[in-house]
Amino acid sequence: MTIEFSVSKRQLEMREAIRGLTKNVIRPQSLAWDRAHGVPEDFLRNFAQLATSMGSSAMRSGLGEEKGQQEKTGGNVGTIMASEEIAWGDAGLLLCLPGPGLGGPPVRGSGTDEQKERFFGIFKDMSGPLRWGAYGLTEPGAGSDVAGIRTSCRKDGDYWALSGRKCYITNGARASWTVIFATIDPALGRAGHRAFVVEKGTPGFSVGRIEEKMGLRASETAELVLEDCRVPAANLLGGEEKYQTKEGFMTAMKTFDNTRPIVAAMALGIGRAAFEYATDFVRSNYALQRHTPRYAAIAERLARIGRNLHAARMMTWRAAFMADQGMPNAKEASMSKAMGGQAAIRACIEAIEVCGAEGTIAKDHQLLEKWFRDIKVYDIFEGTGQIQRIVISKRIMTDLRAF
Ligand SMILES: Cc1cc2nc3c(=O)[nH]c(=O)nc-3n(C[C@H](O)[C@H](O)[C@H](O)COP(=O)(O)OP(=O)(O)OC[C@H]3O[C@@H](n4cnc5c(N)ncnc54)[C@H](O)[C@@H]3O)c2cc1C
Protein backbone atom coordinates (compact mmCIF):
# COMPACT_ATOMS: atom_id res chain seq x y z
CA MET A 1 0.00 0.00 0.00
CA THR A 2 1.33 3.42 -0.91
CA ILE A 3 0.70 6.22 1.53
CA GLU A 4 1.72 9.48 -0.01
CA PHE A 5 0.55 12.98 -0.54
CA SER A 6 2.35 16.14 -1.36
CA VAL A 7 1.75 19.86 -1.56
CA SER A 8 3.15 21.80 -4.49
CA LYS A 9 5.48 24.80 -4.43
CA ARG A 10 2.64 26.84 -5.88
CA GLN A 11 0.31 25.86 -3.02
CA LEU A 12 2.93 26.75 -0.41
CA GLU A 13 3.59 30.11 -2.05
CA MET A 14 -0.13 30.82 -2.10
CA ARG A 15 -0.33 29.98 1.60
CA GLU A 16 2.51 32.37 2.43
CA ALA A 17 0.86 35.20 0.50
CA ILE A 18 -2.47 34.64 2.24
CA ARG A 19 -0.78 34.36 5.64
CA GLY A 20 0.68 37.84 5.25
CA LEU A 21 -2.61 39.28 4.10
CA THR A 22 -4.50 37.65 6.94
CA LYS A 23 -2.12 38.96 9.58
CA ASN A 24 -2.02 42.52 8.30
CA VAL A 25 -5.52 43.06 6.96
CA ILE A 26 -8.00 40.52 8.33
CA ARG A 27 -7.06 39.90 11.97
CA PRO A 28 -7.01 43.63 12.85
CA GLN A 29 -10.67 43.96 11.77
CA SER A 30 -11.98 40.69 13.17
CA LEU A 31 -13.45 42.07 16.40
CA ALA A 32 -15.13 44.97 14.61
CA TRP A 33 -16.87 42.59 12.17
CA ASP A 34 -17.99 40.41 15.07
CA ARG A 35 -19.55 43.44 16.79
CA ALA A 36 -21.13 44.73 13.55
CA HIS A 37 -22.52 41.27 12.69
CA GLY A 38 -21.10 41.52 9.18
CA VAL A 39 -18.21 42.46 6.91
CA PRO A 40 -18.55 45.68 4.84
CA GLU A 41 -19.33 44.99 1.18
CA ASP A 42 -16.43 47.16 0.01
CA PHE A 43 -14.02 44.96 1.87
CA LEU A 44 -15.62 41.80 0.45
CA ARG A 45 -15.40 43.18 -3.10
CA ASN A 46 -11.73 44.16 -2.78
CA PHE A 47 -10.89 40.89 -1.13
CA ALA A 48 -12.69 38.81 -3.79
CA GLN A 49 -10.82 40.68 -6.55
CA LEU A 50 -7.51 40.19 -4.81
CA ALA A 51 -8.34 36.51 -4.39
CA THR A 52 -8.94 36.12 -8.10
CA SER A 53 -5.60 37.71 -8.88
CA MET A 54 -3.89 35.34 -6.41
CA GLY A 55 -5.77 32.37 -7.86
CA SER A 56 -6.97 30.99 -4.54
CA SER A 57 -10.22 29.09 -4.81
CA ALA A 58 -10.99 29.33 -1.08
CA MET A 59 -10.87 33.08 -1.23
CA ARG A 60 -13.29 33.02 -4.14
CA SER A 61 -15.40 30.57 -2.18
CA GLY A 62 -15.14 28.18 -5.12
CA LEU A 63 -15.35 24.99 -3.05
CA GLY A 64 -14.24 22.24 -5.38
CA GLU A 65 -12.74 22.83 -8.77
CA GLU A 66 -13.35 21.62 -12.28
CA LYS A 67 -10.66 19.23 -13.49
CA GLY A 68 -7.78 21.13 -15.10
CA GLN A 69 -8.28 24.14 -12.82
CA GLN A 70 -6.30 22.71 -9.93
CA GLU A 71 -2.87 23.77 -11.12
CA LYS A 72 -4.05 27.36 -11.33
CA THR A 73 -6.18 27.54 -8.19
CA GLY A 74 -4.49 25.05 -5.88
CA GLY A 75 -7.43 22.59 -5.94
CA ASN A 76 -8.94 21.21 -2.72
CA VAL A 77 -5.55 21.19 -0.99
CA GLY A 78 -5.02 24.85 -1.89
CA THR A 79 -8.53 25.62 -0.66
CA ILE A 80 -8.01 24.05 2.75
CA MET A 81 -4.60 25.68 3.19
CA ALA A 82 -6.12 29.07 2.42
CA SER A 83 -9.13 28.32 4.64
CA GLU A 84 -6.94 27.65 7.68
CA GLU A 85 -5.03 30.86 7.10
CA ILE A 86 -8.11 33.05 6.65
CA ALA A 87 -9.88 31.45 9.63
CA TRP A 88 -6.80 32.25 11.72
CA GLY A 89 -7.59 35.88 10.93
CA ASP A 90 -11.38 35.70 10.99
CA ALA A 91 -13.48 32.59 10.39
CA GLY A 92 -16.69 34.57 9.87
CA LEU A 93 -15.16 36.29 6.83
CA LEU A 94 -14.73 32.97 5.03
CA LEU A 95 -18.43 32.25 5.32
CA CYS A 96 -19.47 35.60 3.90
CA LEU A 97 -17.22 35.69 0.86
CA PRO A 98 -19.22 36.23 -2.34
CA GLY A 99 -19.55 33.21 -4.64
CA PRO A 100 -21.62 30.03 -4.85
CA GLY A 101 -20.44 28.94 -1.39
CA LEU A 102 -21.90 25.63 -0.18
CA GLY A 103 -24.31 25.73 -3.13
CA GLY A 104 -21.34 25.27 -5.51
CA PRO A 105 -20.54 21.55 -5.03
CA PRO A 106 -24.06 20.17 -5.72
CA VAL A 107 -24.45 22.33 -8.85
CA ARG A 108 -20.96 21.39 -10.02
CA GLY A 109 -21.41 17.70 -9.16
CA SER A 110 -24.99 17.12 -10.30
CA GLY A 111 -26.04 20.04 -12.53
CA THR A 112 -26.40 19.78 -16.31
CA ASP A 113 -24.00 21.84 -18.46
CA GLU A 114 -26.79 24.33 -19.08
CA GLN A 115 -27.47 24.67 -15.34
CA LYS A 116 -23.79 25.13 -14.52
CA GLU A 117 -23.53 27.87 -17.12
CA ARG A 118 -26.70 29.60 -15.90
CA PHE A 119 -26.05 29.42 -12.16
CA PHE A 120 -22.28 29.93 -12.09
CA GLY A 121 -22.42 32.54 -14.87
CA ILE A 122 -23.70 35.21 -12.49
CA PHE A 123 -20.45 35.10 -10.50
CA LYS A 124 -18.19 35.90 -13.44
CA ASP A 125 -18.71 39.67 -13.50
CA MET A 126 -16.82 40.96 -10.46
CA SER A 127 -17.59 44.60 -11.22
CA GLY A 128 -21.37 44.27 -10.68
CA PRO A 129 -23.24 43.69 -7.43
CA LEU A 130 -21.80 41.07 -5.08
CA ARG A 131 -23.53 37.72 -5.38
CA TRP A 132 -23.86 34.61 -3.23
CA GLY A 133 -25.19 31.08 -3.55
CA ALA A 134 -26.50 28.99 -0.63
CA TYR A 135 -27.29 25.43 0.38
CA GLY A 136 -30.62 24.55 1.98
CA LEU A 137 -30.81 21.09 3.46
CA THR A 138 -31.46 21.49 7.20
CA GLU A 139 -35.03 21.79 8.48
CA PRO A 140 -36.49 22.29 11.95
CA GLY A 141 -37.09 18.50 12.17
CA ALA A 142 -34.17 17.25 10.06
CA GLY A 143 -30.56 18.17 10.74
CA SER A 144 -28.39 15.12 11.31
CA ASP A 145 -31.18 12.93 10.02
CA VAL A 146 -30.95 14.21 6.46
CA ALA A 147 -33.22 11.44 5.18
CA GLY A 148 -36.03 12.90 7.30
CA ILE A 149 -36.56 16.15 5.37
CA ARG A 150 -40.23 17.15 5.01
CA THR A 151 -40.08 20.06 2.52
CA SER A 152 -42.37 18.76 -0.21
CA CYS A 153 -42.14 19.03 -3.98
CA ARG A 154 -44.95 18.24 -6.42
CA LYS A 155 -44.70 18.29 -10.22
CA ASP A 156 -47.20 20.65 -11.84
CA GLY A 157 -46.75 20.97 -15.60
CA ASP A 158 -43.49 22.79 -16.38
CA TYR A 159 -43.06 23.66 -12.69
CA TRP A 160 -42.48 22.03 -9.35
CA ALA A 161 -44.41 23.37 -6.33
CA LEU A 162 -42.25 23.43 -3.17
CA SER A 163 -43.52 23.92 0.40
CA GLY A 164 -41.60 23.81 3.65
CA ARG A 165 -39.03 25.51 5.86
CA LYS A 166 -35.23 25.47 5.83
CA CYS A 167 -33.24 26.72 8.80
CA TYR A 168 -29.71 27.89 9.67
CA ILE A 169 -28.88 28.59 6.02
CA THR A 170 -25.54 30.37 5.58
CA ASN A 171 -25.99 33.46 3.37
CA GLY A 172 -29.62 32.39 2.89
CA ALA A 173 -31.07 35.90 2.91
CA ARG A 174 -28.56 37.45 0.52
CA ALA A 175 -28.17 34.49 -1.90
CA SER A 176 -29.15 34.92 -5.56
CA TRP A 177 -30.02 31.23 -5.55
CA THR A 178 -30.20 28.39 -3.05
CA VAL A 179 -29.99 24.65 -3.64
CA ILE A 180 -33.10 23.39 -1.86
CA PHE A 181 -33.56 19.71 -1.02
CA ALA A 182 -37.17 18.48 -0.99
CA THR A 183 -39.04 15.17 -1.11
CA ILE A 184 -41.75 13.80 -3.40
CA ASP A 185 -42.84 11.48 -0.56
CA PRO A 186 -41.26 11.25 2.92
CA ALA A 187 -42.13 7.53 3.02
CA LEU A 188 -39.61 6.92 0.22
CA GLY A 189 -36.72 8.19 2.38
CA ARG A 190 -33.64 9.12 0.38
CA ALA A 191 -35.06 7.81 -2.90
CA GLY A 192 -37.76 10.50 -2.71
CA HIS A 193 -35.29 13.41 -2.54
CA ARG A 194 -34.98 16.05 -5.25
CA ALA A 195 -32.60 19.03 -5.38
CA PHE A 196 -33.70 22.34 -6.91
CA VAL A 197 -31.99 25.64 -7.53
CA VAL A 198 -34.47 28.20 -6.22
CA GLU A 199 -33.79 31.74 -7.32
CA LYS A 200 -34.24 34.81 -5.14
CA GLY A 201 -37.50 36.58 -5.96
CA THR A 202 -39.36 33.40 -6.98
CA PRO A 203 -42.96 33.91 -5.75
CA GLY A 204 -43.57 31.90 -2.58
CA PHE A 205 -39.87 31.94 -1.58
CA SER A 206 -39.10 34.25 1.35
CA VAL A 207 -36.64 34.86 4.14
CA GLY A 208 -37.81 34.16 7.70
CA ARG A 209 -35.73 34.83 10.80
CA ILE A 210 -32.08 35.94 10.72
CA GLU A 211 -30.39 34.17 13.62
CA GLU A 212 -28.49 35.92 16.42
CA LYS A 213 -25.63 33.53 16.95
CA MET A 214 -23.19 32.86 19.77
CA GLY A 215 -20.21 32.90 17.41
CA LEU A 216 -19.31 33.48 13.75
CA ARG A 217 -21.42 36.62 14.06
CA ALA A 218 -20.00 38.19 10.93
CA SER A 219 -21.73 35.46 8.95
CA GLU A 220 -25.44 35.64 8.12
CA THR A 221 -27.57 32.60 9.03
CA ALA A 222 -31.17 32.66 7.84
CA GLU A 223 -34.42 30.74 7.84
CA LEU A 224 -36.01 30.25 4.39
CA VAL A 225 -39.71 29.71 3.81
CA LEU A 226 -41.27 28.03 0.75
CA GLU A 227 -45.03 28.42 0.38
CA ASP A 228 -46.35 26.70 -2.73
CA CYS A 229 -43.25 28.11 -4.42
CA ARG A 230 -43.34 27.34 -8.16
CA VAL A 231 -39.87 26.48 -9.43
CA PRO A 232 -39.29 25.93 -13.18
CA ALA A 233 -38.71 22.26 -14.05
CA ALA A 234 -35.47 23.40 -15.69
CA ASN A 235 -34.15 24.13 -12.18
CA LEU A 236 -34.39 20.51 -11.01
CA LEU A 237 -30.70 19.79 -10.52
CA GLY A 238 -29.45 17.28 -13.10
CA GLY A 239 -32.87 16.82 -14.74
CA GLU A 240 -35.52 14.14 -14.08
CA GLU A 241 -33.49 11.12 -15.20
CA LYS A 242 -30.96 11.72 -12.43
CA TYR A 243 -33.57 10.73 -9.84
CA GLN A 244 -34.35 7.22 -11.02
CA THR A 245 -31.95 6.17 -8.23
CA LYS A 246 -30.97 7.71 -4.88
CA GLU A 247 -29.16 10.50 -6.70
CA GLY A 248 -30.96 13.35 -4.86
CA PHE A 249 -29.57 12.19 -1.53
CA MET A 250 -26.18 11.42 -3.04
CA THR A 251 -26.05 15.01 -4.26
CA ALA A 252 -26.23 16.17 -0.64
CA MET A 253 -23.60 13.66 0.49
CA LYS A 254 -21.14 14.45 -2.32
CA THR A 255 -21.14 18.02 -1.12
CA PHE A 256 -19.92 16.90 2.30
CA ASP A 257 -16.97 14.88 0.97
CA ASN A 258 -15.56 18.10 -0.47
CA THR A 259 -16.58 20.49 2.25
CA ARG A 260 -15.86 18.57 5.47
CA PRO A 261 -12.07 18.92 5.11
CA ILE A 262 -12.59 22.64 4.45
CA VAL A 263 -14.63 23.00 7.63
CA ALA A 264 -11.95 21.04 9.50
CA ALA A 265 -9.29 23.41 8.14
CA MET A 266 -11.29 26.44 9.27
CA ALA A 267 -11.56 24.97 12.77
CA LEU A 268 -7.81 24.35 12.77
CA GLY A 269 -7.23 27.99 11.83
CA ILE A 270 -9.16 29.13 14.93
CA GLY A 271 -7.49 26.46 17.08
CA ARG A 272 -4.04 27.51 15.89
CA ALA A 273 -4.85 31.15 16.62
CA ALA A 274 -5.81 30.28 20.22
CA PHE A 275 -2.78 28.00 20.60
CA GLU A 276 -0.38 30.71 19.43
CA TYR A 277 -2.05 33.27 21.67
CA ALA A 278 -1.64 31.03 24.74
CA THR A 279 1.97 30.24 23.80
CA ASP A 280 2.78 33.96 23.53
CA PHE A 281 1.08 34.57 26.87
CA VAL A 282 3.20 31.91 28.60
CA ARG A 283 6.37 33.10 26.87
CA SER A 284 5.90 36.66 28.05
CA ASN A 285 4.66 35.83 31.54
CA TYR A 286 7.80 35.96 33.69
CA ALA A 287 6.00 35.17 36.95
CA LEU A 288 4.80 31.93 35.40
CA GLN A 289 8.24 31.08 34.05
CA ARG A 290 9.85 31.47 37.48
CA HIS A 291 7.51 28.84 38.91
CA THR A 292 9.29 25.88 37.31
CA PRO A 293 6.94 22.91 38.02
CA ARG A 294 3.90 24.85 36.87
CA TYR A 295 5.76 26.14 33.80
CA ALA A 296 6.84 22.60 32.86
CA ALA A 297 3.27 21.32 33.16
CA ILE A 298 1.96 24.14 31.00
CA ALA A 299 4.71 23.62 28.40
CA GLU A 300 3.75 19.93 28.23
CA ARG A 301 0.13 20.94 27.80
CA LEU A 302 0.98 23.31 24.95
CA ALA A 303 2.99 20.54 23.29
CA ARG A 304 -0.06 18.26 23.42
CA ILE A 305 -2.35 20.93 21.92
CA GLY A 306 0.22 21.62 19.19
CA ARG A 307 0.66 17.99 18.20
CA ASN A 308 -3.10 17.31 18.14
CA LEU A 309 -3.61 20.29 15.84
CA HIS A 310 -0.77 19.10 13.63
CA ALA A 311 -2.07 15.51 13.42
CA ALA A 312 -5.54 16.79 12.52
CA ARG A 313 -4.02 19.08 9.88
CA MET A 314 -2.19 16.18 8.23
CA MET A 315 -5.40 14.17 8.12
CA THR A 316 -7.24 17.13 6.62
CA TRP A 317 -4.61 17.73 3.94
CA ARG A 318 -4.71 14.08 2.99
CA ALA A 319 -8.53 14.02 2.72
CA ALA A 320 -8.31 17.03 0.38
CA PHE A 321 -5.44 15.48 -1.58
CA MET A 322 -7.57 12.37 -2.15
CA ALA A 323 -10.42 14.55 -3.46
CA ASP A 324 -7.99 16.23 -5.89
CA GLN A 325 -6.88 12.79 -7.12
CA GLY A 326 -10.50 11.70 -7.64
CA MET A 327 -10.14 9.05 -4.90
CA PRO A 328 -13.16 8.18 -2.70
CA ASN A 329 -12.57 10.05 0.56
CA ALA A 330 -15.83 9.88 2.56
CA LYS A 331 -14.15 8.20 5.54
CA GLU A 332 -11.12 10.49 5.51
CA ALA A 333 -13.34 13.57 5.10
CA SER A 334 -15.35 12.54 8.18
CA MET A 335 -12.20 11.70 10.14
CA SER A 336 -10.70 15.10 9.37
CA LYS A 337 -13.90 16.88 10.39
CA ALA A 338 -14.27 14.90 13.63
CA MET A 339 -10.62 15.27 14.58
CA GLY A 340 -10.15 18.86 13.41
CA GLY A 341 -13.22 20.07 15.29
CA GLN A 342 -12.26 18.32 18.52
CA ALA A 343 -8.58 19.37 18.41
CA ALA A 344 -9.55 22.99 17.79
CA ILE A 345 -12.24 23.08 20.47
CA ARG A 346 -9.76 21.67 23.00
CA ALA A 347 -7.18 24.24 21.87
CA CYS A 348 -9.61 27.13 22.43
CA ILE A 349 -10.73 25.87 25.86
CA GLU A 350 -7.21 25.08 27.04
CA ALA A 351 -5.81 28.37 25.74
CA ILE A 352 -8.09 30.13 28.22
CA GLU A 353 -7.19 27.70 30.99
CA VAL A 354 -3.47 28.15 30.38
CA CYS A 355 -3.89 31.90 30.89
CA GLY A 356 -5.71 31.20 34.18
CA ALA A 357 -8.23 33.75 35.51
CA GLU A 358 -6.58 36.33 33.30
CA GLY A 359 -7.83 34.40 30.25
CA THR A 360 -11.43 34.94 31.31
CA ILE A 361 -11.15 38.73 31.40
CA ALA A 362 -12.88 39.40 28.10
CA LYS A 363 -11.94 43.11 28.12
CA ASP A 364 -8.22 42.25 27.93
CA HIS A 365 -8.44 39.09 25.88
CA GLN A 366 -11.25 39.77 23.44
CA LEU A 367 -9.89 37.50 20.73
CA LEU A 368 -9.65 34.54 23.12
CA GLU A 369 -13.26 35.11 24.08
CA LYS A 370 -14.32 35.40 20.42
CA TRP A 371 -12.53 32.20 19.38
CA PHE A 372 -14.18 30.39 22.30
CA ARG A 373 -17.59 31.52 20.94
CA ASP A 374 -16.69 30.86 17.28
CA ILE A 375 -15.28 27.37 17.61
CA LYS A 376 -18.16 25.33 19.05
CA VAL A 377 -20.18 25.27 15.84
CA TYR A 378 -17.37 23.46 14.02
CA ASP A 379 -18.38 20.30 15.84
CA ILE A 380 -22.02 20.88 14.82
CA PHE A 381 -22.46 22.09 11.23
CA GLU A 382 -21.56 19.99 8.18
CA GLY A 383 -22.45 16.97 10.32
CA THR A 384 -21.97 16.91 14.09
CA GLY A 385 -19.02 15.14 15.72
CA GLN A 386 -21.33 12.26 16.72
CA ILE A 387 -22.49 11.84 13.12
CA GLN A 388 -18.90 11.86 11.82
CA ARG A 389 -18.06 9.10 14.29
CA ILE A 390 -21.04 7.07 13.08
CA VAL A 391 -19.93 7.51 9.44
CA ILE A 392 -16.38 6.48 10.35
CA SER A 393 -17.46 3.43 12.35
CA LYS A 394 -19.74 2.24 9.53
CA ARG A 395 -16.83 2.47 7.10
CA ILE A 396 -14.51 0.67 9.48
CA MET A 397 -17.01 -2.15 9.95
CA THR A 398 -17.46 -2.65 6.22
CA ASP A 399 -13.95 -1.90 4.99
CA LEU A 400 -11.30 -2.84 7.52
CA ARG A 401 -8.74 -3.40 4.78
CA ALA A 402 -8.78 0.31 3.96
CA PHE A 403 -6.35 0.76 6.85
C1 LIG B 1 -23.80 28.66 11.89
C2 LIG B 1 -24.51 27.54 11.19
C3 LIG B 1 -24.54 27.52 9.80
C4 LIG B 1 -25.22 26.49 9.14
N1 LIG B 1 -25.29 26.52 7.76
C5 LIG B 1 -26.08 25.61 7.12
C6 LIG B 1 -26.29 25.71 5.70
O1 LIG B 1 -25.75 26.61 5.03
N2 LIG B 1 -27.12 24.82 5.11
C7 LIG B 1 -27.75 23.81 5.80
O2 LIG B 1 -28.48 23.04 5.19
N3 LIG B 1 -27.57 23.70 7.16
C8 LIG B 1 -26.76 24.56 7.82
N4 LIG B 1 -26.58 24.47 9.19
C9 LIG B 1 -27.26 23.42 9.94
C10 LIG B 1 -26.34 22.31 10.44
O3 LIG B 1 -25.83 21.57 9.36
C11 LIG B 1 -27.14 21.45 11.44
O4 LIG B 1 -27.31 22.24 12.59
C12 LIG B 1 -26.44 20.17 11.79
O5 LIG B 1 -26.53 19.26 10.72
C13 LIG B 1 -27.05 19.48 13.03
O6 LIG B 1 -28.41 19.36 12.90
P1 LIG B 1 -29.39 19.84 14.09
O7 LIG B 1 -28.99 21.21 14.49
O8 LIG B 1 -30.81 19.64 13.65
O9 LIG B 1 -29.09 18.87 15.30
P2 LIG B 1 -29.70 17.43 15.55
O10 LIG B 1 -29.60 16.58 14.34
O11 LIG B 1 -31.07 17.58 16.13
O12 LIG B 1 -28.72 16.85 16.65
C14 LIG B 1 -28.82 17.20 18.04
C15 LIG B 1 -27.80 16.34 18.80
O13 LIG B 1 -28.11 14.96 18.66
C16 LIG B 1 -26.98 14.26 18.14
N5 LIG B 1 -27.45 13.20 17.25
C17 LIG B 1 -28.32 13.31 16.23
N6 LIG B 1 -28.49 12.10 15.64
C18 LIG B 1 -27.66 11.23 16.28
C19 LIG B 1 -27.39 9.83 16.15
N7 LIG B 1 -27.97 9.09 15.20
N8 LIG B 1 -26.50 9.27 17.01
C20 LIG B 1 -25.88 10.01 17.98
N9 LIG B 1 -26.13 11.32 18.17
C21 LIG B 1 -27.00 11.93 17.33
C22 LIG B 1 -26.18 15.29 17.39
O14 LIG B 1 -24.82 14.90 17.24
C23 LIG B 1 -26.36 16.50 18.26
O15 LIG B 1 -25.45 16.45 19.32
C24 LIG B 1 -25.88 25.46 9.88
C25 LIG B 1 -25.83 25.48 11.29
C26 LIG B 1 -25.16 26.50 11.94
C27 LIG B 1 -25.17 26.50 13.44
Side-chain angles (χ1 to χ4, degrees), residues 95 102 134-145 166-171 213 215-216 219 221 256 377 379-387 390:
L95 298 182
L102 284 176
Y135 178 85
L137 180 63
T138 307
E139 300 181 3
S144 303
D145 179 19
K166 296 289 174 181
C167 53
Y168 313 123
I169 308 304
T170 301
N171 295 322
K213 300 194 299 301
L216 295 183
S219 159
T221 308
F256 294 143
V377 76
D379 206 28
I380 295 177
F381 63 9
E382 295 284 303
T384 67
Q386 287 81 7
I387 296 302
I390 290 171

